[in-house]
Amino acid sequence: MTSGSQALKTDPAVEAELDRLAALPVAQLRTRYRELFRTAPPKAFGPDLLRRSVAQRIQEKAYGGLPAATQRLLDRLVKAAAAKPDGRLELPRRIKPGSELVRTWNRKTYRVTVLQTGFAYDGKTFDTLSEIATKITGTRWNGPRFFGLRASTSEDGGNVGN
């Protein structure tokens, strides 16, 4: 993996340990898992998943783990999934500035441009898509649902202003 023009420096000792994992029996993989994770491996982990988990942790300790912001996002997603009865995750969508959102409402087409800090519509800048959806419809709407960025959870398509 490279970052800019610099290649990631590898540690020969780490690489040798990773190479040895392929030949380790399951019992030794489980022992190494316990050493690295300070807990017993899940019973469902077979040899392949044990090797992958151990290899990931070895590399993480040697070369560093995920950036803190990414780890926080993953933690939030896991917490949100655990709180839902169906355990489904909804990943946040990131819309790049310059993108155009198009929605037809009551036979008229509306275009919104995504800005670095908000949304442009009808010559004005808005903080949220919900403000624009409300302006268009005259009732309160969830903006991301109105513009098709999020699935509707009700029959009314996300309208909260009945």
Side-chain angles (χ1 to χ4, degrees):
M1 186 188 284
T2 61
S3 174
S5 62
Q6 296 179 333
L8 178 66
K9 304 244 192 264
T10 59
D11 180 344
V14 171
E15 298 305 311
E17 185 174 7
L18 294 174
D19 290 340
R20 287 191 298 271
L21 289 177
L24 282 184
V26 175
Q28 288 181 354
L29 285 170
R30 290 187 182 282
T31 299
R32 189 67 176 120
Y33 185 100
R34 278 190 284 281
E35 292 169 357
L36 291 167
F37 288 90
R38 298 177 187 248
T39 187
K43 293 184 189 303
F45 276 26
D48 183 57
L49 200 47
L50 281 169
R51 277 189 191 87
R52 290 171 188 255
S53 300
V54 168
Q56 182 272 330
R57 183 54 64 101
I58 290 168
Q59 292 173 81
E60 184 178 73
K61 285 181 171 244
Y63 305 124
L66 291 172
T70 303
Q71 187 61 54
R72 284 191 303 273
L73 173 62
L74 290 172
D75 292 342
R76 279 197 319 270
L77 290 171
V78 168
K79 187 176 179 181
K84 291 183 175 186
D86 64 0
R88 294 185 65 205
L89 289 178
E90 271 192 45
L91 298 176
R93 292 186 186 226
R94 293 192 175 94
I95 309 167
K96 293 182 181 179
S99 298
E100 188 175 60
L101 306 175
V102 181
R103 169 69 197 261
T104 300
W105 175 257
N106 288 341
R107 290 176 269 161
K108 184 175 177 191
T109 300
Y110 299 90
R111 296 179 185 282
V112 173
T113 303
V114 179
L115 305 174
Q116 191 71 34
T117 57
F119 304 91
Y121 165 70
D122 198 25
K124 299 179 183 91
T125 302
F126 295 83
D127 291 330
T128 69
L129 287 173
S130 296
E131 292 174 277
I132 298 169
T134 299
K135 182 172 176 56
I136 291 170
T137 65
T139 60
R140 284 186 52 218
W141 276 77
N142 176 297
R145 280 195 191 121
F146 181 79
F147 285 98
L149 301 175
R150 188 177 302 152
S152 176
T153 57
S154 64
E155 290 180 20
D156 65 5
N159 186 340
V160 293
N162 280 354

